[in-house]
Every structure is written in structure tokens, then in C-alpha cells.
Amino acid sequence: MKIGILAAGITPDSLLGEFPTYANMFAEQLGKLQKDFSFVTYDVRLDEFPNSAEECDAWLITGSKADAYSDEPWILRLCSLIKEIDQTQRPLVGICFGHQVIARALGGRVEKFQGGWGVGIHQYDVCGSLPVLPEAKELALCAFHQDQVVEKPARARVILRSEFCENAGLLYEDHILTFQGHPEFSKVYEKALVDLYDGKQLTQEQAKTALNSLESSDIHSNQMMSWIGLFLKKES
């Protein structure tokens, strides 16, 4: 299977020597789980787009520091591609910015959350049953965001939620799956990101709370990445 990764963002320059790009995080982790996957990355920030939604068998949109509600030309073009992918019913997965921009493209609303930043490990309530964790009532993922989907598209079903993030996971029929959290992030990378933004975008108190969560909570990244792999193959 040919998986198209729509890279909407990249690992900060100061961390690139130690960590992969966001696109490569997915390619490396999913490639270990699904041996028949091949990957092609489109840097949509630089206006690198596929010729059509049929160029790949399935698609994934990464996180980004960009605002999903912006009217930058590449974001508007990405919204058009999302609609095209949706019409073909090819599998599509969105993470963080990807989660938000898919919601925007399909009729939802995204904005800067009045409750502030969501960083560190966040616990989400499971709404229903997840294929990879059928008995789970909660799951935990690394988070790093200030924007949120504040109104979900009418057709989307909420699968993960928390008091901080009402629409943390969305499922659109059987071919679009999105998460606000980051299953591709390790605790080590999340810590590096928090340290980088400590005292800048994040207050010292926010950074301290986030770092404490990394010490006290486990994450379900492996299980969620497994689900993403199965979903892209339409086997979940």
C-alpha cells in the first residue's frame, strides 16, 4: 500500500538533530507495524501536493504549528484535497493540526481555545469501544496544542473526549479517523518539546505541570499507532 503523508509541519530546527521529522515519525513507526506500507511525503507547507486523491491508497495529515482556521493558500488547498479524499472514501487519518483541518474542511469549527494550552500527557474518556483497546474506558496520549475543534462536523462521531478537549477523537463513517493527541510522540520527545517552549509560549507553571504528567502517567501510543495502521488498511 502507498501511504501519502501530508506534512503540514516539521520538528523544530533545534530538535531535528536528535528526533525525526513528524512525517518520518509516522513512516518509521507505521512501517514497523505494516510491512507492506510504502510512504511518500508531500510538504504541503511548501505547496507540494499530489495530483489527485487517487495518487495514494490512503492518507495521513501530520501536526503543525500553523492555524487550521487560517486562510493561507496552502491550507485552503489542503481543505480542498481533504474533500476530494473524502469523496473517494480512501482512508484518511489526521493528527493534531490534521485533526483540526479535517474538521474545518468538513463543516466543523476550529479556534484558539479559551482554556489555554494542552500539553503533557492528557487522559481521554473513551466513547464506545476501540478496536485496539476494547475494554478501555480511558486512554492517555501526549498533547501539545492551543487550538481545538470547538464544533465538530455533524457527521463526525466523538470517540475520545476530556473536560479540557470535548472533541479529542473523531470518526467519520469508516474512512476518516482523527486525534487531537499525538500517538507518534514519545515521552522523550514530548519532554524536549516542553523544555523548548518553557518560558516562551508556555508559562513555567504550564511546563512544570506537563513535565510532572510525563513522570506519573503511561501512554497508549503503541496501541493507537497500531489502530492507525489497521485503519489505513481498512482492517479495523
Side-chain angles (χ1 to χ4, degrees):
M1 282 190 69
K2 185 178 179 182
I3 310 299
I5 299 179
L6 302 167
I10 193 167
T11 306
D13 289 344
S14 61
L15 301 181
L16 270 175
E18 186 178 355
F19 300 97
T21 64
Y22 295 146
N24 286 342
M25 286 182 190
F26 282 106
E28 290 174 8
Q29 294 177 47
L30 289 171
K32 291 178 182 177
L33 295 167
Q34 301 291 345
K35 303 300 184 184
D36 60 340
F37 280 3
S38 64
F39 300 90
V40 57
T41 297
Y42 304 84
D43 194 335
V44 293
R45 302 169 308 147
L46 304 180
D47 216 32
E48 294 177 5
F49 280 83
N51 292 320
S52 77
E54 298 180 348
E55 198 164 297
C56 292
D57 300 305
W59 298 93
L60 185 147
I61 306 175
T62 72
S64 174
K65 65 180 182 181
D67 299 326
Y69 41 81
S70 165
D71 288 334
E72 290 185 56
W74 72 267
I75 293 179
L76 296 178
R77 188 174 178 187
L78 181 58
C79 287
S80 295
L81 177 60
I82 289 165
K83 293 174 184 176
E84 185 185 347
I85 294 170
D86 181 33
Q87 288 171 355
T88 68
Q89 297 204 349
R90 275 169 163 70
L92 172 63
V93 170
I95 303 299
C96 197
F97 169 89
H99 164 79
Q100 296 165 7
V101 76
I102 290 170
R104 175 196 177 173
L106 300 181
R109 185 163 62 89
V110 181
E111 63 182 36
K112 201 168 297 296
F113 185 52
Q114 295 301 310
W117 281 89
V119 291
I121 295 178
H122 278 224
Q123 305 284 340
Y124 301 105
D125 296 328
V126 176
C127 309
S129 178
L130 305 182
V132 286
L133 295 164
E135 304 301 321
K137 301 300 182 187
E138 289 185 339
L139 65 81
L141 291 173
C142 293
F144 207 100
H145 65 102
Q146 190 174 16
D147 298 341
Q148 285 195 28
V149 177
V150 294
E151 289 182 12
K152 71 175 183 64
R155 56 187 276 217
R157 178 166 68 88
V158 178
I159 54 174
L160 298 177
R161 67 166 303 280
S162 69
E163 288 189 13
F164 181 81
C165 186
E166 188 69 28
N167 299 301
L170 297 173
L171 182 65
Y172 303 70
E173 288 90 43
D174 63 348
H175 62 280
I176 302 178
L177 175 67
T178 70
F179 302 120
Q180 180 59 68
H182 285 275
E184 79 280 18
F185 283 9
S186 66
K187 284 187 175 185
V188 175
Y189 179 72
E190 178 82 5
K191 181 181 185 303
L193 206 56
V194 172
D195 287 341
L196 180 64
Y197 286 94
D198 187 357
K200 299 171 186 174
Q201 281 89 337
L202 301 177
T203 66
Q204 290 184 335
E205 186 61 31
Q206 287 171 326
K208 181 180 178 181
T209 300
L211 293 174
N212 287 341
S213 73
L214 291 170
E215 295 178 359
S216 60
S217 300
D218 293 326
I219 53 178
H220 295 92
S221 292
N222 292 338
Q223 294 94 329
M224 302 311 284
M225 196 63 73
S226 175
W227 186 15
I228 289 171
L230 293 171
F231 192 86
L232 291 171
K233 294 180 75 171
K234 283 201 167 182
E235 291 184 358
S236 68

mmCIF file of all heavy atoms in Angstrom, residues 188-230:
data_model
loop_
_atom_site.group_PDB
_atom_site.id
_atom_site.type_symbol
_atom_site.label_atom_id
_atom_site.label_comp_id
_atom_site.label_asym_id
_atom_site.label_seq_id
_atom_site.Cartn_x
_atom_site.Cartn_y
_atom_site.Cartn_z
ATOM 1 N N VAL A 188 9.992 11.057 25.611
ATOM 2 C CA VAL A 188 11.268 11.758 25.477
ATOM 3 C C VAL A 188 11.113 12.975 24.564
ATOM 4 O O VAL A 188 11.608 14.066 24.867
ATOM 5 C CB VAL A 188 12.360 10.807 24.933
ATOM 6 C CG1 VAL A 188 13.661 11.566 24.678
ATOM 7 C CG2 VAL A 188 12.600 9.662 25.919
ATOM 8 N N TYR A 189 10.408 12.785 23.450
ATOM 9 C CA TYR A 189 10.215 13.917 22.537
ATOM 10 C C TYR A 189 9.304 14.970 23.164
ATOM 11 O O TYR A 189 9.559 16.176 23.048
ATOM 12 C CB TYR A 189 9.633 13.460 21.196
ATOM 13 C CG TYR A 189 9.418 14.632 20.271
ATOM 14 C CD1 TYR A 189 10.503 15.267 19.681
ATOM 15 C CD2 TYR A 189 8.144 15.151 20.042
ATOM 16 C CE1 TYR A 189 10.339 16.377 18.871
ATOM 17 C CE2 TYR A 189 7.971 16.266 19.231
ATOM 18 C CZ TYR A 189 9.063 16.870 18.651
ATOM 19 O OH TYR A 189 8.892 17.984 17.868
ATOM 20 N N GLU A 190 8.236 14.539 23.823
ATOM 21 C CA GLU A 190 7.329 15.492 24.466
ATOM 22 C C GLU A 190 8.083 16.344 25.487
ATOM 23 O O GLU A 190 7.892 17.567 25.549
ATOM 24 C CB GLU A 190 6.169 14.754 25.144
ATOM 25 C CG GLU A 190 5.186 15.655 25.875
ATOM 26 C CD GLU A 190 4.137 16.306 24.988
ATOM 27 O OE1 GLU A 190 4.091 16.008 23.789
ATOM 28 O OE2 GLU A 190 3.350 17.117 25.517
ATOM 29 N N LYS A 191 8.959 15.712 26.258
ATOM 30 C CA LYS A 191 9.742 16.466 27.247
ATOM 31 C C LYS A 191 10.639 17.492 26.557
ATOM 32 O O LYS A 191 10.736 18.640 27.003
ATOM 33 C CB LYS A 191 10.600 15.514 28.094
ATOM 34 C CG LYS A 191 11.422 16.240 29.164
ATOM 35 C CD LYS A 191 12.276 15.290 29.976
ATOM 36 C CE LYS A 191 12.986 16.035 31.114
ATOM 37 N NZ LYS A 191 13.820 17.171 30.633
ATOM 38 N N ALA A 192 11.278 17.080 25.469
ATOM 39 C CA ALA A 192 12.147 18.004 24.743
ATOM 40 C C ALA A 192 11.353 19.194 24.208
ATOM 41 O O ALA A 192 11.822 20.342 24.230
ATOM 42 C CB ALA A 192 12.844 17.266 23.604
ATOM 43 N N LEU A 193 10.139 18.936 23.756
ATOM 44 C CA LEU A 193 9.285 19.995 23.224
ATOM 45 C C LEU A 193 8.845 20.952 24.333
ATOM 46 O O LEU A 193 8.866 22.176 24.169
ATOM 47 C CB LEU A 193 8.081 19.363 22.539
ATOM 48 C CG LEU A 193 7.372 20.130 21.417
ATOM 49 C CD1 LEU A 193 8.345 20.514 20.309
ATOM 50 C CD2 LEU A 193 6.227 19.287 20.854
ATOM 51 N N VAL A 194 8.464 20.383 25.472
ATOM 52 C CA VAL A 194 8.063 21.223 26.613
ATOM 53 C C VAL A 194 9.235 22.082 27.070
ATOM 54 O O VAL A 194 9.090 23.291 27.314
ATOM 55 C CB VAL A 194 7.527 20.362 27.767
ATOM 56 C CG1 VAL A 194 7.301 21.221 29.019
ATOM 57 C CG2 VAL A 194 6.225 19.665 27.372
ATOM 58 N N ASP A 195 10.422 21.468 27.181
ATOM 59 C CA ASP A 195 11.610 22.227 27.600
ATOM 60 C C ASP A 195 11.901 23.368 26.631
ATOM 61 O O ASP A 195 12.285 24.474 27.045
ATOM 62 C CB ASP A 195 12.830 21.304 27.675
ATOM 63 C CG ASP A 195 12.786 20.355 28.874
ATOM 64 O OD1 ASP A 195 12.032 20.641 29.827
ATOM 65 O OD2 ASP A 195 13.496 19.332 28.843
ATOM 66 N N LEU A 196 11.699 23.115 25.336
ATOM 67 C CA LEU A 196 11.974 24.126 24.313
ATOM 68 C C LEU A 196 11.049 25.334 24.458
ATOM 69 O O LEU A 196 11.461 26.480 24.266
ATOM 70 C CB LEU A 196 11.818 23.502 22.924
ATOM 71 C CG LEU A 196 12.058 24.416 21.722
ATOM 72 C CD1 LEU A 196 13.511 24.890 21.686
ATOM 73 C CD2 LEU A 196 11.706 23.697 20.426
ATOM 74 N N TYR A 197 9.783 25.084 24.817
ATOM 75 C CA TYR A 197 8.796 26.163 24.891
ATOM 76 C C TYR A 197 8.616 26.725 26.297
ATOM 77 O O TYR A 197 7.855 27.680 26.484
ATOM 78 C CB TYR A 197 7.448 25.669 24.359
ATOM 79 C CG TYR A 197 7.422 25.541 22.853
ATOM 80 C CD1 TYR A 197 7.702 24.331 22.218
ATOM 81 C CD2 TYR A 197 7.131 26.637 22.048
ATOM 82 C CE1 TYR A 197 7.689 24.212 20.843
ATOM 83 C CE2 TYR A 197 7.099 26.538 20.666
ATOM 84 C CZ TYR A 197 7.386 25.321 20.068
ATOM 85 O OH TYR A 197 7.377 25.211 18.701
ATOM 86 N N ASP A 198 9.307 26.156 27.266
ATOM 87 C CA ASP A 198 9.218 26.611 28.660
ATOM 88 C C ASP A 198 9.672 28.071 28.751
ATOM 89 O O ASP A 198 10.771 28.423 28.336
ATOM 90 C CB ASP A 198 10.114 25.720 29.538
ATOM 91 C CG ASP A 198 9.955 26.024 31.025
ATOM 92 O OD1 ASP A 198 9.201 26.950 31.379
ATOM 93 O OD2 ASP A 198 10.594 25.329 31.838
ATOM 94 N N GLY A 199 8.782 28.912 29.295
ATOM 95 C CA GLY A 199 9.114 30.323 29.439
ATOM 96 C C GLY A 199 8.900 31.130 28.173
ATOM 97 O O GLY A 199 9.130 32.343 28.164
ATOM 98 N N LYS A 200 8.467 30.472 27.109
ATOM 99 C CA LYS A 200 8.178 31.173 25.850
ATOM 100 C C LYS A 200 6.673 31.114 25.630
ATOM 101 O O LYS A 200 5.918 31.824 26.271
ATOM 102 C CB LYS A 200 8.970 30.532 24.716
ATOM 103 C CG LYS A 200 10.488 30.618 24.954
ATOM 104 C CD LYS A 200 11.271 29.793 23.950
ATOM 105 C CE LYS A 200 12.746 29.782 24.300
ATOM 106 N NZ LYS A 200 13.537 28.880 23.430
ATOM 107 N N GLN A 201 6.204 30.204 24.744
ATOM 108 C CA GLN A 201 4.757 30.062 24.586
ATOM 109 C C GLN A 201 4.111 29.507 25.858
ATOM 110 O O GLN A 201 2.955 29.802 26.164
ATOM 111 C CB GLN A 201 4.427 29.143 23.400
ATOM 112 C CG GLN A 201 4.542 29.831 22.048
ATOM 113 C CD GLN A 201 5.936 29.729 21.470
ATOM 114 O OE1 GLN A 201 6.899 29.531 22.209
ATOM 115 N NE2 GLN A 201 6.059 29.856 20.164
ATOM 116 N N LEU A 202 4.847 28.675 26.578
ATOM 117 C CA LEU A 202 4.336 28.085 27.817
ATOM 118 C C LEU A 202 4.855 28.845 29.028
ATOM 119 O O LEU A 202 6.030 29.227 29.077
ATOM 120 C CB LEU A 202 4.773 26.619 27.945
ATOM 121 C CG LEU A 202 4.349 25.653 26.845
ATOM 122 C CD1 LEU A 202 4.947 24.276 27.120
ATOM 123 C CD2 LEU A 202 2.837 25.567 26.745
ATOM 124 N N THR A 203 3.975 29.050 30.020
ATOM 125 C CA THR A 203 4.448 29.595 31.284
ATOM 126 C C THR A 203 5.241 28.515 32.021
ATOM 127 O O THR A 203 5.142 27.317 31.716
ATOM 128 C CB THR A 203 3.283 30.041 32.167
ATOM 129 O OG1 THR A 203 2.516 28.878 32.550
ATOM 130 C CG2 THR A 203 2.370 31.013 31.422
ATOM 131 N N GLN A 204 6.021 28.928 32.987
ATOM 132 C CA GLN A 204 6.788 27.953 33.773
ATOM 133 C C GLN A 204 5.865 26.985 34.506
ATOM 134 O O GLN A 204 6.178 25.804 34.640
ATOM 135 C CB GLN A 204 7.704 28.688 34.757
ATOM 136 C CG GLN A 204 8.844 29.422 34.082
ATOM 137 C CD GLN A 204 9.796 30.063 35.073
ATOM 138 O OE1 GLN A 204 9.429 30.376 36.206
ATOM 139 N NE2 GLN A 204 11.033 30.275 34.642
ATOM 140 N N GLU A 205 4.711 27.477 34.939
ATOM 141 C CA GLU A 205 3.755 26.620 35.638
ATOM 142 C C GLU A 205 3.162 25.584 34.688
ATOM 143 O O GLU A 205 3.008 24.406 35.042
ATOM 144 C CB GLU A 205 2.640 27.463 36.259
ATOM 145 C CG GLU A 205 1.679 26.667 37.139
ATOM 146 C CD GLU A 205 2.354 26.016 38.334
ATOM 147 O OE1 GLU A 205 3.339 26.585 38.847
ATOM 148 O OE2 GLU A 205 1.905 24.913 38.736
ATOM 149 N N GLN A 206 2.814 25.999 33.465
ATOM 150 C CA GLN A 206 2.296 25.060 32.480
ATOM 151 C C GLN A 206 3.334 23.991 32.148
ATOM 152 O O GLN A 206 3.024 22.798 32.047
ATOM 153 C CB GLN A 206 1.894 25.805 31.202
ATOM 154 C CG GLN A 206 0.632 26.628 31.331
ATOM 155 C CD GLN A 206 0.392 27.508 30.118
ATOM 156 O OE1 GLN A 206 1.331 28.001 29.491
ATOM 157 N NE2 GLN A 206 -0.875 27.726 29.783
ATOM 158 N N ALA A 207 4.577 24.427 31.982
ATOM 159 C CA ALA A 207 5.644 23.479 31.659
ATOM 160 C C ALA A 207 5.870 22.506 32.813
ATOM 161 O O ALA A 207 6.039 21.295 32.591
ATOM 162 C CB ALA A 207 6.932 24.239 31.346
ATOM 163 N N LYS A 208 5.843 23.005 34.036
ATOM 164 C CA LYS A 208 6.050 22.148 35.206
ATOM 165 C C LYS A 208 4.953 21.099 35.309
ATOM 166 O O LYS A 208 5.220 19.908 35.555
ATOM 167 C CB LYS A 208 6.083 22.999 36.479
ATOM 168 C CG LYS A 208 6.306 22.194 37.757
ATOM 169 C CD LYS A 208 6.320 23.099 38.981
ATOM 170 C CE LYS A 208 6.490 22.294 40.269
ATOM 171 N NZ LYS A 208 6.469 23.183 41.471
ATOM 172 N N THR A 209 3.699 21.493 35.100
ATOM 173 C CA THR A 209 2.573 20.557 35.149
ATOM 174 C C THR A 209 2.715 19.497 34.069
ATOM 175 O O THR A 209 2.472 18.304 34.302
ATOM 176 C CB THR A 209 1.242 21.311 34.977
ATOM 177 O OG1 THR A 209 1.104 22.263 36.035
ATOM 178 C CG2 THR A 209 0.067 20.357 35.006
ATOM 179 N N ALA A 210 3.116 19.925 32.877
ATOM 180 C CA ALA A 210 3.296 18.980 31.771
ATOM 181 C C ALA A 210 4.396 17.975 32.080
ATOM 182 O O ALA A 210 4.241 16.768 31.850
ATOM 183 C CB ALA A 210 3.607 19.741 30.488
ATOM 184 N N LEU A 211 5.508 18.453 32.601
ATOM 185 C CA LEU A 211 6.628 17.558 32.914
ATOM 186 C C LEU A 211 6.259 16.586 34.026
ATOM 187 O O LEU A 211 6.652 15.411 34.000
ATOM 188 C CB LEU A 211 7.859 18.383 33.296
ATOM 189 C CG LEU A 211 8.466 19.224 32.163
ATOM 190 C CD1 LEU A 211 9.584 20.118 32.696
ATOM 191 C CD2 LEU A 211 8.982 18.339 31.042
ATOM 192 N N ASN A 212 5.490 17.039 35.005
ATOM 193 C CA ASN A 212 5.036 16.141 36.065
ATOM 194 C C ASN A 212 4.155 15.027 35.513
ATOM 195 O O ASN A 212 4.234 13.880 35.949
ATOM 196 C CB ASN A 212 4.264 16.920 37.137
ATOM 197 C CG ASN A 212 5.167 17.770 38.005
ATOM 198 O OD1 ASN A 212 6.371 17.548 38.066
ATOM 199 N ND2 ASN A 212 4.599 18.763 38.677
ATOM 200 N N SER A 213 3.317 15.354 34.523
ATOM 201 C CA SER A 213 2.438 14.341 33.937
ATOM 202 C C SER A 213 3.248 13.264 33.220
ATOM 203 O O SER A 213 2.859 12.093 33.181
ATOM 204 C CB SER A 213 1.436 14.985 32.970
ATOM 205 O OG SER A 213 2.053 15.389 31.760
ATOM 206 N N LEU A 214 4.384 13.646 32.647
ATOM 207 C CA LEU A 214 5.227 12.679 31.946
ATOM 208 C C LEU A 214 5.843 11.662 32.906
ATOM 209 O O LEU A 214 6.119 10.528 32.519
ATOM 210 C CB LEU A 214 6.343 13.409 31.192
ATOM 211 C CG LEU A 214 5.892 14.239 29.991
ATOM 212 C CD1 LEU A 214 7.033 15.096 29.469
ATOM 213 C CD2 LEU A 214 5.369 13.335 28.881
ATOM 214 N N GLU A 215 6.022 12.071 34.145
ATOM 215 C CA GLU A 215 6.611 11.178 35.139
ATOM 216 C C GLU A 215 5.573 10.268 35.780
ATOM 217 O O GLU A 215 5.895 9.180 36.247
ATOM 218 C CB GLU A 215 7.312 12.002 36.224
ATOM 219 C CG GLU A 215 8.504 12.794 35.719
ATOM 220 C CD GLU A 215 9.137 13.640 36.806
ATOM 221 O OE1 GLU A 215 8.624 13.617 37.960
ATOM 222 O OE2 GLU A 215 10.123 14.337 36.514
ATOM 223 N N SER A 216 4.317 10.696 35.772
ATOM 224 C CA SER A 216 3.310 9.978 36.558
ATOM 225 C C SER A 216 2.334 9.150 35.722
ATOM 226 O O SER A 216 1.532 8.405 36.285
ATOM 227 C CB SER A 216 2.509 10.978 37.403
ATOM 228 O OG SER A 216 1.850 11.916 36.575
ATOM 229 N N SER A 217 2.372 9.275 34.382
ATOM 230 C CA SER A 217 1.362 8.599 33.559
ATOM 231 C C SER A 217 1.999 7.776 32.447
ATOM 232 O O SER A 217 3.022 8.170 31.872
ATOM 233 C CB SER A 217 0.422 9.635 32.920
ATOM 234 O OG SER A 217 -0.239 10.398 33.903
ATOM 235 N N ASP A 218 1.384 6.653 32.146
ATOM 236 C CA ASP A 218 1.753 5.874 30.965
ATOM 237 C C ASP A 218 0.971 6.396 29.765
ATOM 238 O O ASP A 218 -0.031 7.093 29.914
ATOM 239 C CB ASP A 218 1.435 4.392 31.181
ATOM 240 C CG ASP A 218 2.320 3.762 32.255
ATOM 241 O OD1 ASP A 218 3.489 4.165 32.366
ATOM 242 O OD2 ASP A 218 1.831 2.888 32.982
ATOM 243 N N ILE A 219 1.427 6.040 28.569
ATOM 244 C CA ILE A 219 0.709 6.450 27.357
ATOM 245 C C ILE A 219 0.367 5.226 26.513
ATOM 246 O O ILE A 219 0.991 4.178 26.640
ATOM 247 C CB ILE A 219 1.524 7.463 26.520
ATOM 248 C CG1 ILE A 219 2.939 6.945 26.221
ATOM 249 C CG2 ILE A 219 1.582 8.811 27.214
ATOM 250 C CD1 ILE A 219 3.765 7.884 25.352
ATOM 251 N N HIS A 220 -0.641 5.390 25.671
ATOM 252 C CA HIS A 220 -1.125 4.293 24.828
ATOM 253 C C HIS A 220 -0.739 4.511 23.363
ATOM 254 O O HIS A 220 -1.475 4.152 22.449
ATOM 255 C CB HIS A 220 -2.659 4.179 24.950
ATOM 256 C CG HIS A 220 -3.119 3.788 26.315
ATOM 257 N ND1 HIS A 220 -3.449 4.718 27.270
ATOM 258 C CD2 HIS A 220 -3.297 2.574 26.885
ATOM 259 C CE1 HIS A 220 -3.823 4.091 28.382
ATOM 260 N NE2 HIS A 220 -3.739 2.797 28.177
ATOM 261 N N SER A 221 0.429 5.075 23.153
ATOM 262 C CA SER A 221 0.859 5.402 21.790
ATOM 263 C C SER A 221 0.968 4.176 20.901
ATOM 264 O O SER A 221 0.557 4.207 19.734
ATOM 265 C CB SER A 221 2.209 6.134 21.830
ATOM 266 O OG SER A 221 2.055 7.417 22.408
ATOM 267 N N ASN A 222 1.533 3.095 21.423
ATOM 268 C CA ASN A 222 1.719 1.893 20.600
ATOM 269 C C ASN A 222 0.383 1.333 20.128
ATOM 270 O O ASN A 222 0.228 0.944 18.965
ATOM 271 C CB ASN A 222 2.494 0.825 21.376
ATOM 272 C CG ASN A 222 3.934 1.228 21.621
ATOM 273 O OD1 ASN A 222 4.480 2.068 20.918
ATOM 274 N ND2 ASN A 222 4.558 0.615 22.619
ATOM 275 N N GLN A 223 -0.589 1.295 21.037
ATOM 276 C CA GLN A 223 -1.908 0.766 20.674
ATOM 277 C C GLN A 223 -2.590 1.656 19.631
ATOM 278 O O GLN A 223 -3.194 1.157 18.680
ATOM 279 C CB GLN A 223 -2.799 0.653 21.917
ATOM 280 C CG GLN A 223 -2.316 -0.366 22.944
ATOM 281 C CD GLN A 223 -1.446 0.250 24.023
ATOM 282 O OE1 GLN A 223 -0.728 1.220 23.777
ATOM 283 N NE2 GLN A 223 -1.520 -0.305 25.221
ATOM 284 N N MET A 224 -2.477 2.960 19.808
ATOM 285 C CA MET A 224 -3.137 3.865 18.864
ATOM 286 C C MET A 224 -2.444 3.858 17.502
ATOM 287 O O MET A 224 -3.096 3.946 16.463
ATOM 288 C CB MET A 224 -3.181 5.283 19.439
ATOM 289 C CG MET A 224 -3.908 5.374 20.785
ATOM 290 S SD MET A 224 -5.525 4.559 20.783
ATOM 291 C CE MET A 224 -6.479 5.753 19.897
ATOM 292 N N MET A 225 -1.123 3.726 17.502
ATOM 293 C CA MET A 225 -0.413 3.631 16.232
ATOM 294 C C MET A 225 -0.785 2.334 15.518
ATOM 295 O O MET A 225 -0.916 2.307 14.281
ATOM 296 C CB MET A 225 1.088 3.715 16.460
ATOM 297 C CG MET A 225 1.887 4.011 15.199
ATOM 298 S SD MET A 225 1.519 5.616 14.434
ATOM 299 C CE MET A 225 2.298 6.724 15.595
ATOM 300 N N SER A 226 -0.984 1.268 16.284
ATOM 301 C CA SER A 226 -1.440 0.010 15.693
ATOM 302 C C SER A 226 -2.808 0.185 15.046
ATOM 303 O O SER A 226 -3.053 -0.308 13.933
ATOM 304 C CB SER A 226 -1.500 -1.075 16.776
ATOM 305 O OG SER A 226 -2.035 -2.267 16.261
ATOM 306 N N TRP A 227 -3.708 0.909 15.716
ATOM 307 C CA TRP A 227 -5.036 1.161 15.169
ATOM 308 C C TRP A 227 -4.936 1.978 13.883
ATOM 309 O O TRP A 227 -5.613 1.694 12.887
ATOM 310 C CB TRP A 227 -5.905 1.882 16.198
ATOM 311 C CG TRP A 227 -7.340 2.060 15.765
ATOM 312 C CD1 TRP A 227 -7.984 1.425 14.741
ATOM 313 C CD2 TRP A 227 -8.302 2.933 16.356
ATOM 314 N NE1 TRP A 227 -9.296 1.846 14.667
ATOM 315 C CE2 TRP A 227 -9.513 2.769 15.643
ATOM 316 C CE3 TRP A 227 -8.256 3.827 17.418
ATOM 317 C CZ2 TRP A 227 -10.662 3.486 15.964
ATOM 318 C CZ3 TRP A 227 -9.403 4.535 17.746
ATOM 319 C CH2 TRP A 227 -10.594 4.360 17.021
ATOM 320 N N ILE A 228 -4.080 2.993 13.891
ATOM 321 C CA ILE A 228 -3.906 3.814 12.690
ATOM 322 C C ILE A 228 -3.465 2.951 11.513
ATOM 323 O O ILE A 228 -3.978 3.080 10.392
ATOM 324 C CB ILE A 228 -2.897 4.949 12.959
ATOM 325 C CG1 ILE A 228 -3.516 5.989 13.899
ATOM 326 C CG2 ILE A 228 -2.457 5.602 11.653
ATOM 327 C CD1 ILE A 228 -2.542 7.032 14.404
ATOM 328 N N GLY A 229 -2.516 2.042 11.760
ATOM 329 C CA GLY A 229 -2.066 1.155 10.689
ATOM 330 C C GLY A 229 -3.184 0.285 10.145
ATOM 331 O O GLY A 229 -3.345 0.150 8.925
ATOM 332 N N LEU A 230 -3.988 -0.268 11.032
ATOM 333 C CA LEU A 230 -5.113 -1.095 10.614
ATOM 334 C C LEU A 230 -6.170 -0.265 9.894
ATOM 335 O O LEU A 230 -6.765 -0.707 8.916
ATOM 336 C CB LEU A 230 -5.743 -1.792 11.826
ATOM 337 C CG LEU A 230 -4.864 -2.849 12.526
ATOM 338 C CD1 LEU A 230 -5.514 -3.287 13.814
ATOM 339 C CD2 LEU A 230 -4.641 -4.037 11.604
#
